[in-house]
Amino acid sequence: MLLENPTIHKGFIITATASQRRDGRWVGSYISQNRDCGAYEDTCDDFDCSNEKEAQQLALSIGWRLADSAPVMQMR
């Protein structure tokens, strides 16, 4: 499944970027933002990706998993 960048999942806006390391591998980063939870940013350094798109997709999928594990916020 290809994810749009940025994507919205369970109230989170997840945006991904990718950068190429000196050794040629690609590494994805993401920012996950939610009005109630604030923002969380991380880099997916543990995964080797062969291109920019793959690195972005990996980062988006990790952001989705983070959103899935976030506590459900009560509506105010």
Side-chain angles (χ1 to χ4, degrees):
M1 167 177 78
L2 287 177
L3 301 172
E4 293 291 322
N5 188 18
T7 188
I8 298 174
H9 179 62
K10 293 192 173 184
F12 288 83
I13 299 172
I14 305 162
T15 306
T17 60
S19 58
Q20 191 171 25
R21 303 285 186 178
R22 281 188 244 168
D23 63 4
R25 71 185 179 115
W26 286 87
V27 177
S29 299
Y30 68 92
I31 298 174
S32 178
Q33 299 176 76
N34 177 287
R35 182 186 66 184
D36 294 324
C37 297
Y40 181 80
E41 182 176 357
D42 201 4
T43 300
C44 313
D45 281 334
D46 297 335
F47 303 94
D48 290 331
C49 297
S50 59
N51 60 56
E52 181 179 17
K53 185 72 171 177
E54 181 183 353
Q56 287 178 350
Q57 288 295 303
L58 175 65
L60 290 170
S61 69
I62 291 172
W64 268 53
R65 283 185 288 204
L66 177 70
D68 284 339
S69 66
V72 176
M73 297 294 169
Q74 297 294 323
M75 297 298 287
R76 295 183 186 132

